[in-house]
Amino acid sequence: MMEVNVNKQLDSSEGRMILHLEACVDEGSFIVLQGKSGAGKTSLLRLLAGLMLPDQGYITFGGKHWTDTAKGVFLPPQKREVGMVFQDYALFPNMTLLENIRFASTKECSLDLVDTLMDIMELEALRHHAIKSLSGGQKQRVALARALVQRPKLLLLDEPLAALDREMKIKLRDFIKDWHHEQRPTLIWVSHDASEIIPLADRLWELENGRLIEKECAVQNINDKPVKGRFQISAEIEGMEQQGSGYILSLRIGLQSVHLTVEESEVSGLKIGDTVLLTADTSTTKVQRIDE
């Protein structure tokens, strides 16, 4: 179990903001974290990782106190068993690709795991290259391999696939899904466009005005149950079938196919292969074509 109840004053583009985080998470959970730029998403991860001290509050993981301002407890990052992928990658420029990954590996980590991760990330041919010679996408894959090689109990991913092409993005998204299933770390994944990630997760968090809000995550039953609040998610139309006065849309959202019943007016101008935006709240679901 991870318990978080902290406050942190931050300077945002709109002035000072109090970030208040309160949550209780089962170990092994897969959480997607969303929010506007400047909402405090990266700060949330840094607080959990021990890279930022809260003004007040506590963080516990597996019954161990990581942070407790009232008791003067602050466990350093290297003792928290946390793996994190930063947006700026935070790689060591004076080390080679291989040295960066091995630096993060534990004594129990075999060299086979290092080789496996480099193979999956398609980095094998670059193992002895200097970090400064790598592209942004290659650096991002090194950062991801470095986080995974630790076999962390808490895995924090801040836009970990943003610099990758679509083919590699899909490959590594699937790999992270399988890794989570096998290793069962608690996983928090920050994404501005979470349409391909949400179907993999069991919880969806959004930061709004410095507060953590839990939203509906399961989109498979979008016709069958009300959602909490309002959310938007993009999808690709795989099929359209007329039924009575309406249509059944077959939609691809991430790795899953879902079916949505809509009125005939909703499908006007739509065709198979279009990317659409689904907007749902407690009573309605709207479909709108996204012009690319």
Side-chain angles (χ1 to χ4, degrees):
M1 183 75 71
M2 180 174 72
E3 296 183 66
V4 182
N5 192 328
V6 296
N7 293 318
K8 180 66 177 180
Q9 181 175 281
L10 302 174
D11 291 321
S12 70
S13 59
E14 298 179 358
R16 289 188 174 180
M17 173 184 71
I18 301 297
L19 181 64
H20 176 66
L21 309 174
E22 185 173 356
C24 187
V25 179
D26 291 332
E27 290 184 45
S29 295
F30 190 140
I31 301 164
V32 170
L33 175 62
Q34 292 183 298
K36 296 179 180 178
S37 295
K41 302 184 296 299
T42 299
S43 294
L44 184 158
L45 300 188
R46 291 177 63 84
L47 285 165
L48 295 177
L51 299 171
M52 180 183 289
L53 181 66
D55 297 328
Q56 183 181 24
Y58 62 85
I59 300 170
T60 65
F61 192 98
K64 181 184 293 186
H65 289 274
W66 282 1
T67 300
D68 193 328
T69 57
K71 298 179 180 179
V73 174
F74 185 72
L75 199 67
Q78 63 270 25
K79 293 186 178 181
R80 295 193 182 203
E81 296 184 89
V82 174
M84 183 170 178
V85 176
F86 299 85
Q87 287 192 38
D88 61 2
Y89 316 137
L91 301 174
F92 298 112
N94 60 323
M95 294 184 183
T96 65
L97 184 157
L98 179 60
E99 289 169 341
N100 264 273
I101 297 175
R102 283 185 174 174
F103 182 85
S105 62
T106 63
K107 292 181 180 179
E108 296 76 19
C109 172
S110 69
L111 295 180
D112 288 342
L113 177 56
V114 174
D115 290 338
T116 297
L117 288 171
M118 287 202 299
D119 182 57
I120 291 291
M121 307 289 171
E122 299 184 15
L123 296 170
E124 180 62 35
L126 304 171
R127 61 164 52 212
H128 298 302
H129 283 225
I131 290 299
K132 63 182 180 181
S133 70
L134 303 180
S135 68
Q138 290 165 345
K139 290 178 182 177
Q140 191 163 56
R141 282 177 274 157
V142 175
L144 180 57
R146 187 181 62 177
L148 296 179
V149 79
Q150 304 172 56
R151 293 188 176 178
K153 292 184 178 179
L154 177 61
L155 181 58
L156 307 173
L157 304 179
D158 197 352
E159 299 282 356
L161 309 179
L164 307 181
D165 60 52
R166 179 168 177 77
E167 183 177 353
M168 181 59 71
K169 187 177 294 187
I170 292 172
K171 176 184 179 180
L172 294 188
R173 180 199 62 198
D174 293 351
F175 174 70
I176 294 171
K177 178 199 69 171
D178 293 339
W179 177 276
H180 177 260
H181 180 74
E182 293 171 5
Q183 301 291 328
R184 302 306 299 173
T186 300
L187 171 58
I188 301 179
W189 187 322
V190 174
S191 178
H192 282 96
D193 180 12
S195 60
E196 295 183 340
I197 312 303
I198 287 176
L200 311 182
D202 39 57
R203 301 180 74 168
L204 173 60
W205 287 353
E206 184 157 354
L207 276 175
E208 295 182 1
N209 300 317
R211 296 295 186 271
L212 197 60
I213 300 171
E214 181 136 10
K215 297 200 171 184
E216 179 62 48
C217 189
V219 297
Q220 296 93 328
N221 300 319
I222 200 168
N223 284 131
D224 303 326
K225 58 188 283 190
V227 297
K228 301 172 185 177
R230 181 177 182 269
F231 75 86
Q232 292 184 323
I233 190 168
S234 60
E236 181 179 339
I237 299 177
E238 293 187 317
M240 300 172 62
E241 179 182 349
Q242 188 168 10
Q243 185 178 73
S245 60
Y247 277 80
I248 297 178
L249 295 182
S250 297
L251 303 169
R252 170 67 63 178
I253 303 177
L255 299 178
Q256 298 187 12
S257 292
V258 300
H259 301 285
L260 177 66
T261 302
V262 298
E263 298 294 330
E264 184 174 4
S265 59
E266 292 274 356
V267 301
S268 178
L270 298 180
K271 64 182 184 300
I272 294 174
D274 281 350
T275 300
V276 295
L277 182 69
L278 305 183
T279 303
D281 56 26
T282 55
S283 60
T284 62
T285 302
K286 295 183 178 180
V287 182
Q288 180 181 0
R289 183 176 182 273
I290 300 175
D291 294 320
E292 300 190 81

